[in-house]
Amino acid sequence: IIMVTVVVQQPLGKAGTEAWNSGICDCCEDVSSSCYAFWCFPCFTCTTTGEFGESTCLPLLDILGPALMAAFGIGVCVRPVGLAMRVAVRYKYQIGGSLCEDIMVSCCCIWCSWCQMSREIKARKKVIKVVQRNPMILVFFNTDDS
């Protein structure tokens, strides 16, 4: 009798995906952005959305949308633009994860989610310059006739 153990793991995302450059609670990595988000969160979300290449007015729907839905008696747990932005950042930069994780992060701490997205966008936009210097070829001539 041969006994075989099979271990099955479910991948979190697509094969070959990357991880976030910073954790969800790494707000101290970019203190200026974290302070900006703390003091003027709507402005911060608009700026972050603009840096990502989307309309800067898009996050304003997160303010107006739930207010309108609440007026009609519909409760909203997840801010739709915040969730959509998180999914779009993950998709564009091929970051591993799932929609369930995005919903949980967007529900539990929307500020941390936006700060993480901002740090990710900034990290991906950094230009790395590679300077290649051509090696100098030194030629020595022997002028000694001996």
Side-chain angles (χ1 to χ4, degrees):
I1 298 175
I2 299 174
M3 296 186 65
V4 178
T5 303
V6 178
V7 178
V8 179
Q9 291 181 332
Q10 182 178 1
L12 291 176
K14 296 184 280 185
T17 57
E18 297 182 26
W20 290 92
N21 282 320
S22 62
I24 192 72
C25 295
D26 290 340
C27 294
C28 292
E29 284 188 16
D30 188 2
V31 176
S32 61
S33 291
S34 298
C35 288
Y36 182 25
F38 179 77
W39 291 108
C40 189
F41 188 66
C43 300
F44 176 74
T45 59
C46 291
T47 301
T48 302
T49 305
E51 288 174 357
F52 188 63
E54 296 294 330
S55 172
T56 54
C57 297
L58 193 60
L60 298 177
L61 294 174
D62 272 351
I63 297 168
L64 300 175
L68 288 173
M69 294 184 85
F72 291 106
I74 302 170
V76 177
C77 176
V78 179
R79 296 179 178 220
V81 175
L83 176 60
M85 270 293 294
R86 187 167 181 83
V87 171
V89 169
R90 253 190 348 97
Y91 180 76
K92 181 176 182 178
Y93 300 130
Q94 297 181 351
I95 298 171
S98 67
L99 183 59
C100 290
E101 290 174 5
D102 294 334
I103 292 170
M104 290 303 296
V105 169
S106 297
C107 267
C108 295
C109 191
I110 193 70
W111 282 275
C112 295
S113 175
W114 277 98
C115 286
Q116 184 183 34
M117 287 187 288
S118 174
R119 289 190 304 272
E120 189 70 31
I121 293 165
K122 285 180 182 179
R124 300 296 178 127
K125 282 190 167 189
K126 284 184 181 175
V127 177
I128 300 173
K129 293 184 180 181
V130 177
V131 178
Q132 181 179 358
R133 295 185 179 176
N134 294 331
M136 292 179 57
I137 299 174
L138 299 176
V139 179
F140 294 99
F141 294 102
N142 188 359
T143 57
D144 190 18
D145 291 335
S146 51

